[in-house]
């Protein structure tokens, strides 16, 4: 599994930094955001180090699909599938990406803002 030295989320995958894990598959990990912006705020990441969603998209067979499927399962298990939720990938400087290991934010549990940016 490709990891990036010093990458925060690779270290969470490796168990070197604690996180509240909510789901795990062979290729993905879902854990609670340390600074939640909504009652439900879970990050879903590929275990392999890929910097952003574009890198995941070109990685090959089905990783982006697996990531999105996990987002949906998280929403169901967190009880927000019916009330509604948002899946967000921040990418790059103007996209507001702070951690350069691809992650999807799954947000729900309250009425989210109309504006996205
Ligand atoms: P982004 O701005 O899209 O790169 O989002 C990075 C997210 O990672 C933010 O929502 C942070 O609160 C979250 N985060 C940073 N460090 C940790 C950590 N150790 N455990 C869980 N979430 C974290
Ligand atoms: Zn990483």
């Amino acid at each position: 599994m490709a990891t990036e030295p010093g990458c925060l989320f690779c270290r969470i995958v490796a168990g070197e930094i604690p996180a509240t894990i909510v789901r795990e598959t062979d290729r993905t990990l879902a854990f609670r955001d340390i600074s939640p912006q909504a009652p439900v705020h879970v990050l879903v990441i590929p275990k392999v180090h890929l910097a952003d969603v574009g890198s995941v998209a070109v990685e090959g067979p089905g990783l982006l699909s697996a990531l999105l499927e996990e987002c949906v399962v998280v929403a169901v298990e967190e009880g927000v599938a019916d009330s509604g939720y948002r899946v967000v990938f921040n990418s790059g400087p103007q996209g507001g990406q702070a951690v350069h290991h691809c992650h999807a934010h799954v947000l729900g549990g309250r009425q989210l803002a109309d504006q996205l940016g």
Side-chain angles (χ1 to χ4, degrees), residues 8-9 31-35 43 90 96-99 103 105:
L8 176 63
F9 288 176
F31 53 94
R32 298 202 187 282
D33 196 292
I34 204 166
S35 179
L43 302 177
N90 294 327
Q97 185 178 8
V99 177
H103 50 281
H105 298 256

Side-chain angles (χ1 to χ4, degrees), residues 17-99:
I17 291 177
T20 305
I21 310 288
V22 299
R23 277 187 62 81
E24 181 169 10
T25 70
D26 57 337
R27 294 200 286 180
T28 66
L29 189 68
F31 53 94
R32 298 202 187 282
D33 196 292
I34 204 166
S35 179
Q37 305 299 306
V40 172
H41 189 172
V42 174
L43 302 177
V44 183
I45 70 170
K47 287 182 173 175
V48 62
H49 181 85
L50 292 162
D52 53 30
V53 65
S55 304
V56 174
V58 298
E59 176 64 8
L63 183 56
L64 186 55
S65 298
L67 205 57
L68 284 172
E69 285 167 18
E70 274 302 294
C71 292
V72 173
V73 174
V74 164
V76 170
E77 291 191 354
E78 294 289 314
V80 296
D82 291 337
S83 53
Y85 61 96
R86 188 169 286 166
V87 176
V88 176
F89 289 94
N90 294 327
S91 183
Q94 291 198 342
Q97 185 178 8
V99 177

